[in-house]
Amino acid sequence: MLIASSALLAALVYYAALCAIRPFAPCRKCRGLGRTERFGKPRMCPRCHNDKLRLRLGRRAFNAWQRTREAGTRPTPAPFKESH
């Protein structure tokens, strides 16, 4: 049980580091080529739109969490002080 838990933790740490270092991965639909074939005709990849890269799922989740956190922890504006 301890070995399985440590292996899972190591895998999570590795994936988190991978998402931080290389947030983009090759598109799975076109395998990073930017083009797919449909009915024998080459066309632009519908997922990556010829960018050849997609944002990793872990990085997308982190970005969503970060946006939510920043939206909830914005500093409140200070009350207006009149000077006489």
Side-chain angles (χ1 to χ4, degrees):
M1 183 69 174
L2 182 62
I3 294 173
S5 297
S6 61
L8 181 64
L9 181 64
L12 288 174
V13 168
Y14 172 76
Y15 186 68
L18 185 65
C19 286
I21 294 169
R22 296 187 62 195
F24 292 95
C27 178
R28 290 183 300 183
K29 180 102 175 159
C30 65
R31 294 184 212 118
L33 298 175
R35 299 191 98 30
T36 59
E37 282 193 14
R38 186 168 183 190
F39 304 116
K41 295 180 182 178
R43 66 182 187 123
M44 183 174 57
C45 178
R47 286 191 185 170
C48 68
H49 302 288
N50 209 18
D51 287 336
K52 302 175 186 173
L53 297 173
R54 299 276 293 171
L55 195 61
R56 291 183 193 272
L57 181 65
R59 186 59 183 223
R60 191 175 305 143
F62 176 75
N63 289 347
W65 172 78
Q66 194 173 17
R67 278 193 306 270
T68 303
R69 182 179 171 274
E70 288 175 1
T73 59
R74 288 190 181 138
T76 56
F80 180 72
K81 294 182 182 179
E82 289 187 34
S83 59
H84 287 242

